[in-house]
Amino acid sequence: MSPRKPTAVSLFSGCGGSDAGLISAGFDVLMANDLLAYAAETYKANLPETDYRECPIEEIESFPIADLLVGCYPCQGYSQGGAREAGRGINYLFKEFGRALRAIRPKAFIVENVSGLTRSDNQELFQHQLRNFRQAGYRVKWQLMNAADYGVAQERHRVLIVGIRSTLDAVFTFPKPTHGPEAGLPAVTIRDALAGLPEWPEGEFNAEEFHWYYMSRNRRRDWTEVSKTIVSRARHMPLHPISPPLVHKGPDRYEFSTKGPARRFSYREAACLQGFTSNLVFPESAGLHSRYKVIGNAVPPPLFSAVASALPDIW
């Protein structure tokens, strides 16, 4: 008989980036949850064996017992690209994660959120979250991590919070980078991530005009580099390297160096740059903007897999 897989419950699961990482790390995801309909459809199309509950988390009255609880609660008030309103009610959904933590009493938990959560103006709320987890009975550690250091072809800085149940004689240590100049493997580049994809995938990329705000910064990286951060807004998606280089023309103003063809990354390319496989299924029920949104909001599976794989053997 094969050994029992450790089990996990996933909250604020989106289209399944965190859970794809868990599965690759050897976990059996029992339940997932989110309220965004297209995220749920995409998740079910790619990870059909998981019990996905499409509803606000407040409506979930009971949770399966599991070894691990993971969650990526919404971050709009902390995001570098968002409104940065730390007082918004949505920023307190960590309390719902805490409710699940107390109900399930897993041996460990993992939380992922934007790096802005640790900014000085958010410290009170950040420390509130850490206290909440410690009071639930967990030894808590956190670290800022860059997905590019773990085999993702994208510069994406996120805070990871990990807790181990205080009654267990185990210590968690964050994994060391596996890719990049200081690690054993070279960084995964845009060329590596997009290998085999068509050069001009009509209908899969946002072809809107490059408005003044888009051209206020350099959104292009070359084939041999990692991508800039993949975002959830189709209009702000970084440029594909097939586009001409951008030239700085003054404060908050860039122009293309030539009149050659230029385009943003497609939603499928964005998925590959997040660390998903190129055959990720996108249901036909929603259009371009919804596809970009669920991918931009996702957790890079390789990053989450690296953190989950570093958990001590407590199962």
Side-chain angles (χ1 to χ4, degrees):
M1 293 181 62
S2 58
R4 181 189 81 91
K5 289 184 177 181
T7 55
V9 166
S10 169
L11 305 178
F12 311 101
S13 314
C15 70
S18 60
D19 299 6
L22 288 177
I23 291 168
S24 70
F27 286 81
D28 181 11
V29 183
L30 304 179
M31 188 206 93
N33 157 255
D34 210 299
L35 52 71
L36 186 63
Y38 189 68
E41 287 185 57
T42 306
Y43 188 112
K44 293 173 186 177
N46 291 281
L47 303 173
E49 296 182 3
T50 300
D51 173 21
Y52 197 106
R53 303 185 190 180
E54 183 191 334
C55 64
I57 190 172
E58 296 89 343
E59 295 180 5
I60 300 178
E61 297 181 356
S62 62
F63 304 88
I65 298 302
D67 298 310
L68 177 68
L69 175 65
V70 305
C72 311
Y73 35 79
C75 57
Q76 284 89 331
Y78 318 124
S79 175
Q80 297 291 337
R84 302 194 192 186
E85 297 171 354
R88 292 178 64 189
I90 197 170
N91 297 328
Y92 289 85
L93 283 173
F94 73 87
K95 293 183 177 179
E96 287 296 319
F97 184 87
R99 175 174 69 90
L101 191 64
R102 288 171 169 83
I104 300 170
R105 293 290 298 159
K107 295 178 180 178
F109 73 83
I110 305 173
V111 165
E112 183 264 6
N113 217 307
V114 293
S115 59
L117 178 59
T118 64
R119 287 198 316 263
S120 58
D121 54 338
N122 288 326
Q123 273 302 303
E124 183 177 349
L125 190 54
F126 182 46
Q127 293 303 321
H128 186 181
Q129 295 184 30
L130 299 181
R131 285 195 303 273
N132 184 286
F133 300 145
R134 290 177 177 129
Q135 289 167 1
Y138 291 82
R139 293 192 299 275
V140 180
K141 290 185 176 181
W142 66 272
Q143 184 169 304
L144 286 173
M145 305 178 76
N146 183 359
D149 293 337
Y150 300 90
V152 179
Q154 173 199 170
E155 192 174 83
R156 192 179 189 89
H157 298 274
R158 291 296 185 266
V159 61
L160 276 295
I161 307 170
V162 177
I164 304 291
R165 196 196 297 164
S166 300
T167 55
L168 297 175
D169 184 21
V171 176
F172 175 77
T173 301
F174 279 96
K176 294 181 179 179
T178 55
H179 294 69
E182 308 280 319
L185 297 170
V188 178
T189 66
I190 295 174
R191 176 177 282 118
D192 296 330
L194 304 189
L197 293 181
E199 193 173 81
W200 204 262
E202 289 289 354
E204 292 196 357
F205 62 88
N206 179 26
E208 288 180 88
E209 182 183 352
F210 300 113
H211 51 81
W212 70 266
Y213 181 76
Y214 190 91
M215 301 301 289
S216 68
R217 64 188 72 176
N218 190 346
R219 300 178 190 266
R220 183 187 180 278
R221 291 275 175 86
D222 206 352
W223 286 105
T224 57
E225 300 178 280
V226 299
S227 171
K228 287 179 173 289
T229 302
I230 296 301
V231 296
S232 61
R233 295 183 182 183
R235 293 185 78 188
H236 297 162
M237 185 59 53
L239 285 165
H240 190 285
I242 197 173
S243 308
L246 289 171
V247 179
H248 188 229
K249 291 293 185 177
D252 300 325
R253 182 168 162 252
Y254 285 82
E255 292 181 3
F256 288 110
S257 59
T258 72
K259 295 188 179 299
R263 69 170 177 87
R264 299 167 177 89
F265 286 120
S266 72
Y267 60 79
R268 186 170 303 281
E269 291 164 342
C272 291
L273 294 168
Q274 281 275 53
F276 288 94
T277 60
S278 61
N279 61 354
L280 188 74
V281 176
F282 289 91
E284 297 293 329
S285 59
L288 195 76
H289 289 264
S290 291
R291 299 182 189 198
Y292 273 120
K293 181 176 181 178
V294 297
I295 290 302
N297 285 335
V299 180
L303 173 62
F304 215 81
S305 179
V307 175
S309 297
L311 289 166
D313 188 9
I314 53 179
W315 321 117

